[in-house]
Amino acid sequence: MTTPPPPLPGRIGWVDLTVADAPTVRDFYAAVAGWTPQALSMGDYDDYVMLAPDGTPHAGVCHARGGNAGLPAQWLVYITVTDLTQRLHEVTARGGQVLSGPRNAGPSGRFAVIQDPAGAVCALFEAASAPSSSDA
């Protein structure tokens, strides 16, 4: 199986929903959207990757625990950016706030949750560099 290329900068690359009762919400979207949940171990509990009918991952349903404890129960979009550190400087310089992070998202990259000057919340995601042919 090949690894898909990282999402292009400026595009929404992922969505997560963080809630207190992830299994109930997981089952809700499985029935309503036709998604199939796939457990993703977070150590002592599982979050869920929600797969579309064709098997592609489309969203996450997460417990409001650990690093996600303070996130609001809303769909959180992840906008792909280059140079997350510089983008976070822009967030604060332009009247926004960094609410969480930056932190690692496993081998795929790192992200931070931000709030814009109007109060809307989203995440900025910087994909890890794709390995070069010499890394193979």
Side-chain angles (χ1 to χ4, degrees), residues 31-99:
V32 171
W35 292 341
T36 300
Q38 180 179 46
L40 176 64
S41 177
M42 302 306 290
D44 58 346
Y45 64 93
D46 289 337
D47 282 342
Y48 305 97
V49 174
M50 304 303 284
L51 306 175
D54 68 359
T56 58
H58 275 328
V61 173
C62 307
H63 287 86
R65 299 182 187 171
N68 290 341
L71 296 179
Q74 66 183 35
W75 282 104
L76 181 65
V77 298
Y78 289 72
I79 301 168
T80 304
V81 298
T82 57
D83 195 350
L84 181 61
T85 301
Q86 177 58 36
R87 299 299 180 179
L88 295 179
H89 289 297
E90 290 292 335
V91 166
T92 57
R94 296 177 179 273
Q97 295 180 18
V98 178
L99 300 179

Short mmCIF file of all heavy atoms in Angstrom, two decimals, residues 31-99:
data_model
loop_
_atom_site.label_atom_id
_atom_site.label_comp_id
_atom_site.label_asym_id
_atom_site.label_seq_id
_atom_site.Cartn_x
_atom_site.Cartn_y
_atom_site.Cartn_z
N ALA A 31 -24.33 5.63 11.43
CA ALA A 31 -25.69 5.42 10.95
C ALA A 31 -26.15 6.53 10.01
O ALA A 31 -26.76 6.26 8.97
CB ALA A 31 -26.65 5.30 12.13
N VAL A 32 -25.84 7.78 10.33
CA VAL A 32 -26.35 8.91 9.57
C VAL A 32 -25.56 9.15 8.28
O VAL A 32 -26.14 9.41 7.23
CB VAL A 32 -26.34 10.19 10.45
CG1 VAL A 32 -26.63 11.43 9.65
CG2 VAL A 32 -27.34 10.04 11.60
N ALA A 33 -24.23 9.06 8.34
CA ALA A 33 -23.39 9.37 7.18
C ALA A 33 -22.93 8.12 6.43
O ALA A 33 -22.36 8.23 5.36
CB ALA A 33 -22.18 10.18 7.62
N GLY A 34 -23.15 6.94 7.01
CA GLY A 34 -22.70 5.72 6.36
C GLY A 34 -21.21 5.47 6.52
O GLY A 34 -20.62 4.70 5.78
N TRP A 35 -20.58 6.14 7.52
CA TRP A 35 -19.16 5.96 7.77
C TRP A 35 -18.91 4.71 8.59
O TRP A 35 -19.74 4.32 9.42
CB TRP A 35 -18.59 7.15 8.52
CG TRP A 35 -18.55 8.44 7.74
CD1 TRP A 35 -18.62 8.59 6.39
CD2 TRP A 35 -18.44 9.75 8.28
NE1 TRP A 35 -18.54 9.92 6.05
CE2 TRP A 35 -18.43 10.65 7.20
CE3 TRP A 35 -18.33 10.25 9.57
CZ2 TRP A 35 -18.31 12.03 7.37
CZ3 TRP A 35 -18.22 11.62 9.73
CH2 TRP A 35 -18.20 12.50 8.64
N THR A 36 -17.77 4.10 8.39
CA THR A 36 -17.35 2.93 9.18
C THR A 36 -16.25 3.39 10.13
O THR A 36 -15.22 3.90 9.68
CB THR A 36 -16.81 1.82 8.26
OG1 THR A 36 -17.84 1.44 7.36
CG2 THR A 36 -16.35 0.62 9.07
N PRO A 37 -16.45 3.20 11.44
CA PRO A 37 -15.41 3.62 12.39
C PRO A 37 -14.25 2.63 12.42
O PRO A 37 -14.44 1.42 12.32
CB PRO A 37 -16.14 3.65 13.73
CG PRO A 37 -17.34 2.81 13.56
CD PRO A 37 -17.67 2.76 12.10
N GLN A 38 -13.06 3.19 12.54
CA GLN A 38 -11.84 2.38 12.71
C GLN A 38 -11.15 2.92 13.96
O GLN A 38 -10.82 4.11 14.03
CB GLN A 38 -10.95 2.53 11.48
CG GLN A 38 -9.67 1.73 11.55
CD GLN A 38 -8.86 1.91 10.28
OE1 GLN A 38 -8.67 3.02 9.79
NE2 GLN A 38 -8.39 0.81 9.74
N ALA A 39 -10.95 2.04 14.94
CA ALA A 39 -10.33 2.46 16.20
C ALA A 39 -8.90 2.93 15.97
O ALA A 39 -8.16 2.34 15.17
CB ALA A 39 -10.36 1.32 17.20
N LEU A 40 -8.53 3.98 16.66
CA LEU A 40 -7.18 4.52 16.64
C LEU A 40 -6.73 4.63 18.10
O LEU A 40 -7.26 5.44 18.85
CB LEU A 40 -7.15 5.90 15.97
CG LEU A 40 -5.81 6.62 15.97
CD1 LEU A 40 -4.78 5.86 15.15
CD2 LEU A 40 -5.97 8.03 15.42
N SER A 41 -5.78 3.79 18.49
CA SER A 41 -5.36 3.74 19.89
C SER A 41 -4.70 5.04 20.32
O SER A 41 -3.80 5.56 19.66
CB SER A 41 -4.38 2.59 20.11
OG SER A 41 -3.94 2.60 21.46
N MET A 42 -5.17 5.54 21.45
CA MET A 42 -4.60 6.73 22.06
C MET A 42 -3.90 6.35 23.38
O MET A 42 -3.70 7.18 24.25
CB MET A 42 -5.69 7.77 22.32
CG MET A 42 -6.45 8.18 21.06
SD MET A 42 -5.40 8.76 19.72
CE MET A 42 -4.84 10.31 20.36
N GLY A 43 -3.57 5.08 23.52
CA GLY A 43 -2.95 4.57 24.74
C GLY A 43 -3.96 3.80 25.55
O GLY A 43 -4.19 2.62 25.30
N ASP A 44 -4.64 4.48 26.47
CA ASP A 44 -5.61 3.79 27.33
C ASP A 44 -7.06 3.92 26.84
O ASP A 44 -7.98 3.51 27.53
CB ASP A 44 -5.49 4.27 28.77
CG ASP A 44 -5.69 5.77 28.94
OD1 ASP A 44 -5.67 6.49 27.93
OD2 ASP A 44 -5.87 6.21 30.09
N TYR A 45 -7.26 4.47 25.67
CA TYR A 45 -8.59 4.55 25.06
C TYR A 45 -8.42 4.67 23.55
O TYR A 45 -7.30 4.86 23.06
CB TYR A 45 -9.41 5.73 25.61
CG TYR A 45 -8.82 7.09 25.31
CD1 TYR A 45 -9.21 7.82 24.17
CD2 TYR A 45 -7.88 7.67 26.15
CE1 TYR A 45 -8.67 9.06 23.89
CE2 TYR A 45 -7.34 8.92 25.88
CZ TYR A 45 -7.73 9.60 24.76
OH TYR A 45 -7.20 10.83 24.48
N ASP A 46 -9.51 4.54 22.82
CA ASP A 46 -9.49 4.68 21.37
C ASP A 46 -10.26 5.91 20.93
O ASP A 46 -11.33 6.21 21.44
CB ASP A 46 -10.16 3.48 20.68
CG ASP A 46 -9.35 2.21 20.79
OD1 ASP A 46 -8.12 2.29 20.98
OD2 ASP A 46 -9.95 1.12 20.69
N ASP A 47 -9.70 6.64 19.97
CA ASP A 47 -10.44 7.60 19.17
C ASP A 47 -10.81 6.87 17.89
O ASP A 47 -10.47 5.69 17.73
CB ASP A 47 -9.61 8.85 18.87
CG ASP A 47 -9.53 9.81 20.06
OD1 ASP A 47 -10.36 9.71 20.98
OD2 ASP A 47 -8.63 10.68 20.04
N TYR A 48 -11.50 7.53 16.96
CA TYR A 48 -12.01 6.81 15.79
C TYR A 48 -11.75 7.59 14.51
O TYR A 48 -12.06 8.77 14.41
CB TYR A 48 -13.51 6.55 15.94
CG TYR A 48 -13.79 5.83 17.23
CD1 TYR A 48 -14.18 6.52 18.36
CD2 TYR A 48 -13.60 4.46 17.32
CE1 TYR A 48 -14.40 5.87 19.56
CE2 TYR A 48 -13.80 3.80 18.52
CZ TYR A 48 -14.19 4.50 19.64
OH TYR A 48 -14.39 3.85 20.83
N VAL A 49 -11.19 6.89 13.54
CA VAL A 49 -11.08 7.40 12.17
C VAL A 49 -12.35 6.92 11.48
O VAL A 49 -12.69 5.73 11.53
CB VAL A 49 -9.83 6.84 11.46
CG1 VAL A 49 -9.81 7.26 10.00
CG2 VAL A 49 -8.57 7.29 12.18
N MET A 50 -13.05 7.84 10.85
CA MET A 50 -14.31 7.48 10.18
C MET A 50 -14.03 7.31 8.69
O MET A 50 -13.56 8.23 8.02
CB MET A 50 -15.36 8.56 10.44
CG MET A 50 -15.61 8.83 11.93
SD MET A 50 -16.10 7.38 12.91
CE MET A 50 -17.79 7.21 12.38
N LEU A 51 -14.32 6.11 8.19
CA LEU A 51 -14.05 5.76 6.80
C LEU A 51 -15.31 5.92 5.96
O LEU A 51 -16.39 5.50 6.36
CB LEU A 51 -13.57 4.31 6.70
CG LEU A 51 -12.37 3.94 7.59
CD1 LEU A 51 -12.08 2.44 7.48
CD2 LEU A 51 -11.15 4.76 7.25
N ALA A 52 -15.14 6.51 4.78
CA ALA A 52 -16.24 6.61 3.82
C ALA A 52 -16.56 5.21 3.29
O ALA A 52 -15.78 4.27 3.49
CB ALA A 52 -15.85 7.53 2.67
N PRO A 53 -17.69 5.04 2.62
CA PRO A 53 -18.04 3.72 2.09
C PRO A 53 -16.97 3.10 1.19
O PRO A 53 -16.85 1.88 1.13
CB PRO A 53 -19.34 3.98 1.33
CG PRO A 53 -19.98 5.11 2.08
CD PRO A 53 -18.80 5.99 2.47
N ASP A 54 -16.14 3.92 0.54
CA ASP A 54 -15.08 3.37 -0.30
C ASP A 54 -13.82 3.02 0.50
O ASP A 54 -12.82 2.60 -0.06
CB ASP A 54 -14.74 4.31 -1.45
CG ASP A 54 -14.08 5.61 -1.00
OD1 ASP A 54 -13.88 5.82 0.21
OD2 ASP A 54 -13.75 6.43 -1.88
N GLY A 55 -13.85 3.23 1.83
CA GLY A 55 -12.73 2.88 2.69
C GLY A 55 -11.72 3.98 2.93
O GLY A 55 -10.76 3.80 3.67
N THR A 56 -11.93 5.16 2.33
CA THR A 56 -10.99 6.25 2.55
C THR A 56 -11.32 6.99 3.85
O THR A 56 -12.49 7.22 4.16
CB THR A 56 -11.00 7.27 1.38
OG1 THR A 56 -12.31 7.78 1.23
CG2 THR A 56 -10.54 6.62 0.09
N PRO A 57 -10.29 7.34 4.62
CA PRO A 57 -10.53 8.10 5.84
C PRO A 57 -10.99 9.51 5.53
O PRO A 57 -10.41 10.18 4.67
CB PRO A 57 -9.17 8.11 6.54
CG PRO A 57 -8.20 7.44 5.64
CD PRO A 57 -8.90 7.02 4.40
N HIS A 58 -12.06 9.95 6.21
CA HIS A 58 -12.62 11.28 5.96
C HIS A 58 -12.70 12.18 7.17
O HIS A 58 -12.76 13.39 7.03
CB HIS A 58 -14.01 11.17 5.35
CG HIS A 58 -14.02 11.01 3.87
ND1 HIS A 58 -13.09 11.55 3.04
CD2 HIS A 58 -14.85 10.33 3.07
CE1 HIS A 58 -13.34 11.23 1.80
NE2 HIS A 58 -14.41 10.48 1.79
N ALA A 59 -12.74 11.60 8.36
CA ALA A 59 -12.95 12.42 9.55
C ALA A 59 -12.51 11.64 10.78
O ALA A 59 -12.29 10.43 10.72
CB ALA A 59 -14.43 12.80 9.66
N GLY A 60 -12.44 12.35 11.89
CA GLY A 60 -12.15 11.72 13.16
C GLY A 60 -13.19 12.08 14.20
O GLY A 60 -13.72 13.19 14.19
N VAL A 61 -13.50 11.12 15.06
CA VAL A 61 -14.33 11.38 16.23
C VAL A 61 -13.44 11.05 17.43
O VAL A 61 -12.95 9.93 17.56
CB VAL A 61 -15.62 10.53 16.24
CG1 VAL A 61 -16.37 10.70 17.55
CG2 VAL A 61 -16.51 10.90 15.06
N CYS A 62 -13.22 12.07 18.27
CA CYS A 62 -12.24 11.97 19.34
C CYS A 62 -12.87 12.22 20.71
O CYS A 62 -13.84 12.95 20.82
CB CYS A 62 -11.15 13.02 19.12
SG CYS A 62 -10.41 12.97 17.49
N HIS A 63 -12.28 11.59 21.71
CA HIS A 63 -12.66 11.86 23.10
C HIS A 63 -12.11 13.21 23.54
O HIS A 63 -11.01 13.59 23.12
CB HIS A 63 -12.08 10.79 24.03
CG HIS A 63 -12.77 9.47 23.92
ND1 HIS A 63 -12.42 8.53 22.98
CD2 HIS A 63 -13.78 8.94 24.64
CE1 HIS A 63 -13.18 7.46 23.13
NE2 HIS A 63 -14.02 7.69 24.13
N ALA A 64 -12.83 13.90 24.37
CA ALA A 64 -12.36 15.16 24.96
C ALA A 64 -11.48 14.83 26.16
O ALA A 64 -11.84 15.05 27.31
CB ALA A 64 -13.55 16.02 25.36
N ARG A 65 -10.32 14.25 25.87
CA ARG A 65 -9.35 13.85 26.90
C ARG A 65 -7.96 14.30 26.47
O ARG A 65 -7.73 14.61 25.31
CB ARG A 65 -9.31 12.33 27.06
CG ARG A 65 -10.59 11.70 27.48
CD ARG A 65 -10.40 10.21 27.64
NE ARG A 65 -11.67 9.54 27.89
CZ ARG A 65 -11.81 8.24 27.90
NH1 ARG A 65 -10.78 7.44 27.66
NH2 ARG A 65 -12.99 7.71 28.14
N GLY A 66 -7.04 14.25 27.42
CA GLY A 66 -5.65 14.58 27.10
C GLY A 66 -5.52 15.94 26.46
O GLY A 66 -6.11 16.92 26.93
N GLY A 67 -4.79 16.01 25.36
CA GLY A 67 -4.59 17.26 24.64
C GLY A 67 -5.86 17.82 24.04
O GLY A 67 -5.92 18.99 23.67
N ASN A 68 -6.90 17.01 23.93
CA ASN A 68 -8.18 17.46 23.36
C ASN A 68 -9.18 17.90 24.44
O ASN A 68 -10.31 18.25 24.11
CB ASN A 68 -8.82 16.34 22.54
CG ASN A 68 -8.06 16.07 21.26
OD1 ASN A 68 -7.29 16.88 20.80
ND2 ASN A 68 -8.27 14.91 20.69
N ALA A 69 -8.79 17.88 25.69
CA ALA A 69 -9.73 18.14 26.79
C ALA A 69 -10.42 19.50 26.68
O ALA A 69 -11.58 19.62 27.03
CB ALA A 69 -9.02 18.01 28.14
N GLY A 70 -9.75 20.51 26.19
CA GLY A 70 -10.34 21.84 26.16
C GLY A 70 -11.00 22.22 24.86
O GLY A 70 -11.46 23.35 24.71
N LEU A 71 -11.04 21.30 23.89
CA LEU A 71 -11.61 21.66 22.59
C LEU A 71 -13.13 21.68 22.63
O LEU A 71 -13.75 20.84 23.28
CB LEU A 71 -11.14 20.67 21.52
CG LEU A 71 -9.64 20.67 21.24
CD1 LEU A 71 -9.31 19.63 20.16
CD2 LEU A 71 -9.17 22.04 20.80
N PRO A 72 -13.74 22.62 21.91
CA PRO A 72 -15.21 22.67 21.88
C PRO A 72 -15.78 21.51 21.07
O PRO A 72 -15.10 20.96 20.20
CB PRO A 72 -15.50 24.01 21.20
CG PRO A 72 -14.28 24.30 20.40
CD PRO A 72 -13.13 23.68 21.13
N ALA A 73 -17.02 21.14 21.37
CA ALA A 73 -17.70 20.08 20.63
C ALA A 73 -18.24 20.66 19.33
O ALA A 73 -19.40 21.01 19.21
CB ALA A 73 -18.82 19.48 21.47
N GLN A 74 -17.35 20.78 18.36
CA GLN A 74 -17.72 21.27 17.02
C GLN A 74 -16.78 20.60 16.04
O GLN A 74 -15.71 20.14 16.40
CB GLN A 74 -17.56 22.79 16.93
CG GLN A 74 -16.12 23.26 17.06
CD GLN A 74 -15.99 24.77 17.05
OE1 GLN A 74 -16.83 25.47 17.56
NE2 GLN A 74 -14.91 25.25 16.46
N TRP A 75 -17.20 20.55 14.78
CA TRP A 75 -16.32 20.02 13.76
C TRP A 75 -15.15 20.97 13.61
O TRP A 75 -15.32 22.17 13.40
CB TRP A 75 -17.05 19.84 12.43
CG TRP A 75 -17.91 18.62 12.43
CD1 TRP A 75 -19.26 18.57 12.57
CD2 TRP A 75 -17.45 17.27 12.33
NE1 TRP A 75 -19.68 17.27 12.54
CE2 TRP A 75 -18.59 16.44 12.40
CE3 TRP A 75 -16.20 16.67 12.18
CZ2 TRP A 75 -18.50 15.05 12.33
CZ3 TRP A 75 -16.12 15.30 12.12
CH2 TRP A 75 -17.27 14.50 12.19
N LEU A 76 -13.94 20.45 13.76
CA LEU A 76 -12.72 21.24 13.68
C LEU A 76 -12.04 20.93 12.35
O LEU A 76 -11.65 19.79 12.11
CB LEU A 76 -11.79 20.89 14.84
CG LEU A 76 -10.47 21.63 14.92
CD1 LEU A 76 -10.71 23.12 15.19
CD2 LEU A 76 -9.60 21.04 16.03
N VAL A 77 -11.94 21.94 11.48
CA VAL A 77 -11.26 21.75 10.20
C VAL A 77 -9.78 21.99 10.39
O VAL A 77 -9.36 22.83 11.20
CB VAL A 77 -11.82 22.66 9.08
CG1 VAL A 77 -13.29 22.36 8.82
CG2 VAL A 77 -11.61 24.12 9.39
N TYR A 78 -8.98 21.23 9.66
CA TYR A 78 -7.52 21.36 9.66
C TYR A 78 -7.10 21.93 8.32
O TYR A 78 -7.26 21.27 7.28
CB TYR A 78 -6.85 20.00 9.88
CG TYR A 78 -7.01 19.47 11.28
CD1 TYR A 78 -8.23 18.98 11.72
CD2 TYR A 78 -5.93 19.44 12.15
CE1 TYR A 78 -8.38 18.48 13.01
CE2 TYR A 78 -6.06 18.94 13.44
CZ TYR A 78 -7.30 18.47 13.86
OH TYR A 78 -7.43 17.98 15.13
N ILE A 79 -6.58 23.14 8.32
CA ILE A 79 -6.12 23.80 7.10
C ILE A 79 -4.62 23.51 6.97
O ILE A 79 -3.85 23.80 7.90
CB ILE A 79 -6.38 25.31 7.15
CG1 ILE A 79 -7.88 25.59 7.34
CG2 ILE A 79 -5.83 25.99 5.89
CD1 ILE A 79 -8.20 27.03 7.68
N THR A 80 -4.22 22.97 5.85
CA THR A 80 -2.83 22.63 5.62
C THR A 80 -2.02 23.89 5.31
O THR A 80 -2.45 24.71 4.50
CB THR A 80 -2.70 21.64 4.45
OG1 THR A 80 -3.52 20.49 4.74
CG2 THR A 80 -1.27 21.19 4.24
N VAL A 81 -0.89 24.04 6.00
CA VAL A 81 -0.01 25.19 5.81
C VAL A 81 1.44 24.72 5.69
O VAL A 81 1.76 23.59 6.06
CB VAL A 81 -0.12 26.21 6.97
CG1 VAL A 81 -1.52 26.78 7.09
CG2 VAL A 81 0.34 25.60 8.29
N THR A 82 2.27 25.58 5.19
CA THR A 82 3.71 25.36 5.27
C THR A 82 4.22 26.26 6.38
O THR A 82 3.63 27.30 6.67
CB THR A 82 4.41 25.71 3.94
OG1 THR A 82 4.12 27.06 3.61
CG2 THR A 82 3.94 24.80 2.81
N ASP A 83 5.27 25.87 7.05
CA ASP A 83 5.91 26.65 8.10
C ASP A 83 4.92 27.04 9.20
O ASP A 83 4.55 28.22 9.36
CB ASP A 83 6.61 27.88 7.53
CG ASP A 83 7.59 28.51 8.53
OD1 ASP A 83 7.58 28.10 9.72
OD2 ASP A 83 8.33 29.41 8.13
N LEU A 84 4.49 26.05 9.96
CA LEU A 84 3.51 26.27 11.03
C LEU A 84 3.97 27.34 12.01
O LEU A 84 3.18 28.18 12.43
CB LEU A 84 3.23 24.95 11.75
CG LEU A 84 2.22 25.00 12.89
CD1 LEU A 84 0.85 25.46 12.40
CD2 LEU A 84 2.13 23.65 13.59
N THR A 85 5.23 27.33 12.35
CA THR A 85 5.75 28.32 13.31
C THR A 85 5.49 29.74 12.82
O THR A 85 4.99 30.59 13.57
CB THR A 85 7.25 28.09 13.56
OG1 THR A 85 7.42 26.76 14.08
CG2 THR A 85 7.81 29.10 14.55
N GLN A 86 5.80 30.01 11.56
CA GLN A 86 5.56 31.35 10.99
C GLN A 86 4.07 31.66 10.95
O GLN A 86 3.66 32.79 11.25
CB GLN A 86 6.16 31.45 9.58
CG GLN A 86 5.89 32.79 8.90
CD GLN A 86 6.41 33.99 9.68
OE1 GLN A 86 7.47 33.94 10.31
NE2 GLN A 86 5.67 35.08 9.66
N ARG A 87 3.25 30.70 10.60
CA ARG A 87 1.79 30.94 10.54
C ARG A 87 1.24 31.27 11.92
O ARG A 87 0.34 32.10 12.05
CB ARG A 87 1.07 29.72 9.95
CG ARG A 87 1.48 29.37 8.55
CD ARG A 87 1.19 30.48 7.59
NE ARG A 87 1.61 30.08 6.26
CZ ARG A 87 1.49 30.80 5.19
NH1 ARG A 87 0.97 32.00 5.27
NH2 ARG A 87 1.91 30.38 4.04
N LEU A 88 1.77 30.65 12.97
CA LEU A 88 1.30 30.95 14.33
C LEU A 88 1.71 32.36 14.75
O LEU A 88 0.95 33.04 15.46
CB LEU A 88 1.81 29.90 15.31
CG LEU A 88 1.25 28.50 15.08
CD1 LEU A 88 1.84 27.52 16.09
CD2 LEU A 88 -0.27 28.48 15.10
N HIS A 89 2.85 32.83 14.29
CA HIS A 89 3.22 34.24 14.52
C HIS A 89 2.21 35.15 13.83
O HIS A 89 1.81 36.17 14.40
CB HIS A 89 4.64 34.53 14.01
CG HIS A 89 5.72 33.92 14.84
ND1 HIS A 89 5.95 34.24 16.15
CD2 HIS A 89 6.65 32.98 14.52
CE1 HIS A 89 6.95 33.55 16.62
NE2 HIS A 89 7.40 32.76 15.66
N GLU A 90 1.79 34.81 12.64
CA GLU A 90 0.79 35.60 11.92
C GLU A 90 -0.55 35.60 12.66
O GLU A 90 -1.25 36.62 12.69
CB GLU A 90 0.59 35.07 10.50
CG GLU A 90 1.76 35.30 9.58
CD GLU A 90 1.99 36.77 9.25
OE1 GLU A 90 1.03 37.57 9.31
OE2 GLU A 90 3.14 37.11 8.93
N VAL A 91 -0.92 34.46 13.24
CA VAL A 91 -2.18 34.38 13.98
C VAL A 91 -2.21 35.44 15.07
O VAL A 91 -3.16 36.23 15.16
CB VAL A 91 -2.36 32.96 14.59
CG1 VAL A 91 -3.48 32.95 15.64
CG2 VAL A 91 -2.65 31.93 13.51
N THR A 92 -1.17 35.47 15.90
CA THR A 92 -1.17 36.42 17.02
C THR A 92 -0.97 37.86 16.54
O THR A 92 -1.57 38.78 17.09
CB THR A 92 -0.12 36.03 18.07
OG1 THR A 92 1.17 35.96 17.46
CG2 THR A 92 -0.46 34.69 18.70
N ALA A 93 -0.16 38.06 15.51
CA ALA A 93 0.07 39.41 14.98
C ALA A 93 -1.19 40.01 14.39
O ALA A 93 -1.35 41.23 14.37
CB ALA A 93 1.18 39.38 13.92
N ARG A 94 -2.10 39.16 13.94
CA ARG A 94 -3.33 39.64 13.29
C ARG A 94 -4.56 39.54 14.19
O ARG A 94 -5.69 39.56 13.72
CB ARG A 94 -3.54 38.91 11.98
CG ARG A 94 -2.42 39.21 11.00
CD ARG A 94 -2.55 38.45 9.71
NE ARG A 94 -1.47 38.80 8.80
CZ ARG A 94 -1.49 39.81 7.96
NH1 ARG A 94 -2.54 40.60 7.89
NH2 ARG A 94 -0.47 40.03 7.16
N GLY A 95 -4.33 39.42 15.50
CA GLY A 95 -5.43 39.47 16.44
C GLY A 95 -6.07 38.15 16.80
O GLY A 95 -7.08 38.12 17.50
N GLY A 96 -5.49 37.04 16.37
CA GLY A 96 -6.00 35.73 16.74
C GLY A 96 -5.28 35.19 17.96
O GLY A 96 -4.42 35.86 18.54
N GLN A 97 -5.65 33.98 18.34
CA GLN A 97 -5.03 33.32 19.49
C GLN A 97 -4.66 31.89 19.13
O GLN A 97 -5.39 31.23 18.37
CB GLN A 97 -5.99 33.25 20.67
CG GLN A 97 -6.38 34.56 21.25
CD GLN A 97 -7.35 34.37 22.41
OE1 GLN A 97 -7.47 33.30 22.99
NE2 GLN A 97 -8.05 35.44 22.76
N VAL A 98 -3.57 31.41 19.70
CA VAL A 98 -3.22 30.00 19.61
C VAL A 98 -3.83 29.35 20.84
O VAL A 98 -3.47 29.68 21.98
CB VAL A 98 -1.69 29.80 19.56
CG1 VAL A 98 -1.36 28.31 19.53
CG2 VAL A 98 -1.09 30.52 18.36
N LEU A 99 -4.80 28.47 20.65
CA LEU A 99 -5.51 27.83 21.76
C LEU A 99 -4.82 26.57 22.26
O LEU A 99 -4.93 26.23 23.43
CB LEU A 99 -6.94 27.50 21.35
CG LEU A 99 -7.81 28.67 20.93
CD1 LEU A 99 -9.20 28.18 20.52
CD2 LEU A 99 -7.91 29.71 22.03
#
